[in-house]
Amino acid sequence: MVVKKTTKKRTHKTTRQAAKKTIKKKSTARKPRKTTKKKATVKRKEPKKGTTRKNRIKSSKFGVYITEQQSGKTVQIPVNPESLSFTRESDDTSQKVIKLGEINQLGLRKLTSIQIDSFLPKYKAPYTVGQWHDPQYYIDFFNDLQEGKKKIRVTVTSTKITFLMTVSSFKHGFEKGYADDPTYTIIFKQYVPFSYRKIKKRKKPKGKSVTKKSKKKRSSKAGKITRGTTVIVTGTSYHKSTGGGKSKSLKKAKRKITLVSVGKKYPYRVREGWVAKKSVKKKA
């Protein structure tokens, strides 16, 4: 009986030890590493030639950029102007109206213009911005834009000002006898794209003669007396069509009607005055 008891205890211990070993094996097993997705690298697209309203130069700093649309060449003005004149007008006309006075008749909006007054420094200085060039570089660039009738985009960064424009006027020179830093005034004018087509003349149909319509004057009704009608007047003429004041008596006088007042007592006006309807007879 003693032997049986000891065997039971041993078997119980062995099962507990085996369970502990299995638990330790499970705990020491390495967990699989989490796979992290690599961030996709976005390739930057090369900017198109020229700039559009959507694809324009953006910066938090104030600057004036001029981009030639065909080649995409961009030049920044080396010295920011003290003031930037931005003009918008409409084609309004004023007219005078009776018993009302002068009125303003609203018209369509004119083209927008931008004027810049500044100078071109001969040497790079703390107040210059962007990539610096010799003054003659900018003068040649502006002259080429104007003479070549090239379309450009003027963009003022840190603002919403961006327009498709052309060089309307460019003036440069020297002030106070100082030739190192030439001054200039440039005016850009808005360019609105448009198109036109040639209209072909219609060919005349063969074998058919086209006759022009003759313009005939409308003839007055037979027997009707109107302004300009030649009549024979026999009767008394008055100063007014209502009969106020006698003017002169006529007898078989050949006259021309100058005015007609419908519904009046003396409706016809001749040289001497107003006459009655019964006094007038149309000349045959």
Side-chain angles (χ1 to χ4, degrees):
M1 295 294 290
V2 176
V3 175
K4 284 182 181 179
K5 286 181 182 179
T6 54
T7 52
K8 282 182 180 178
K9 286 181 181 179
R10 283 178 183 176
T11 54
H12 183 68
K13 283 181 181 180
T14 53
T15 53
R16 285 177 67 183
Q17 285 175 358
K20 282 181 180 180
K21 284 180 181 181
T22 54
I23 291 164
K24 283 182 180 179
K25 284 181 181 179
K26 286 181 181 178
S27 61
T28 55
R30 289 183 180 181
K31 293 179 180 179
R33 292 181 181 180
K34 291 181 179 180
T35 55
T36 55
K37 292 181 180 180
K38 292 182 179 180
K39 292 182 179 179
T41 55
V42 181
K43 291 182 179 180
R44 291 184 180 179
K45 293 181 180 179
E46 293 182 359
K48 297 178 182 179
K49 285 186 177 181
T51 55
T52 59
R53 186 173 287 274
K54 292 180 180 179
N55 177 29
R56 65 186 179 96
I57 300 161
K58 294 179 181 179
S59 176
S60 58
K61 294 181 180 180
F62 180 84
V64 182
Y65 292 84
I66 300 160
T67 305
E68 187 187 339
Q69 288 297 98
Q70 191 173 1
S71 64
K73 182 180 178 181
T74 302
V75 172
Q76 185 180 3
I77 288 176
V79 179
N80 288 332
E82 291 182 3
S83 61
L84 189 67
S85 182
F86 184 74
T87 308
R88 273 186 173 178
E89 295 179 346
S90 56
D91 192 14
D92 298 344
T93 54
S94 58
Q95 294 181 356
K96 288 183 179 179
V97 179
I98 298 170
K99 293 184 180 181
L100 187 60
E102 190 176 11
I103 62 166
N104 185 23
Q105 190 173 357
L106 301 177
L108 298 174
R109 195 176 68 183
K110 290 184 179 180
L111 297 173
T112 304
S113 61
I114 298 174
Q115 181 174 334
I116 297 173
D117 298 302
S118 189
F119 68 96
L120 303 169
K122 189 175 182 180
Y123 304 102
K124 192 172 183 180
Y127 51 78
T128 57
V129 292
Q131 189 178 359
W132 176 84
H133 297 281
D134 188 76
Q136 193 61 41
Y137 174 86
Y138 298 98
I139 292 170
D140 294 340
F141 178 67
F142 292 143
N143 283 330
D144 181 59
L145 293 177
Q146 189 178 28
E147 290 173 5
K149 300 178 182 179
K150 295 179 179 179
K151 295 183 283 292
I152 58 174
R153 179 163 290 278
V154 179
T155 304
V156 183
T157 53
S158 76
T159 68
K160 292 184 179 181
I161 300 172
T162 175
F163 284 100
L164 185 64
M165 312 189 94
T166 57
V167 178
S168 176
S169 173
F170 175 56
K171 181 174 69 175
H172 63 93
F174 307 102
E175 288 184 3
K176 299 177 182 180
Y178 190 64
D180 284 346
D181 299 339
T183 58
Y184 71 94
T185 300
I186 189 165
I187 299 173
F188 301 103
K189 203 162 200 176
Q190 185 182 5
Y191 177 80
V192 178
F194 65 94
S195 61
Y196 58 90
R197 63 178 181 177
K198 201 172 183 180
I199 299 172
K200 294 180 180 179
K201 290 183 179 180
R202 290 183 180 179
K203 293 181 179 180
K204 292 181 180 179
K206 292 180 180 180
K208 292 181 180 180
S209 59
V210 179
T211 56
K212 292 182 179 179
K213 293 181 180 180
S214 59
K215 294 181 180 179
K216 294 182 180 180
K217 291 182 179 179
R218 290 182 180 180
S219 58
S220 58
K221 291 181 180 180
K224 190 176 181 180
I225 298 171
T226 58
R227 187 178 176 183
T229 307
T230 304
V231 293
I232 304 297
V233 183
T234 302
T236 307
S237 61
Y238 296 87
H239 291 297
K240 295 180 181 180
S241 60
T242 55
K246 290 182 180 181
S247 176
K248 195 175 180 181
S249 296
L250 301 171
K251 189 176 181 181
K252 293 183 180 181
K254 186 181 176 182
R255 295 287 185 269
K256 188 176 280 188
I257 302 295
T258 56
L259 290 171
V260 177
S261 182
V262 181
K264 300 293 182 180
K265 191 175 180 180
Y266 301 95
Y268 301 120
R269 169 82 179 181
V270 292
R271 188 172 58 196
E272 288 77 10
W274 294 89
V275 294
K277 192 174 182 180
K278 62 181 180 181
S279 302
V280 176
K281 188 178 179 183
K282 192 174 180 182
K283 190 180 177 184

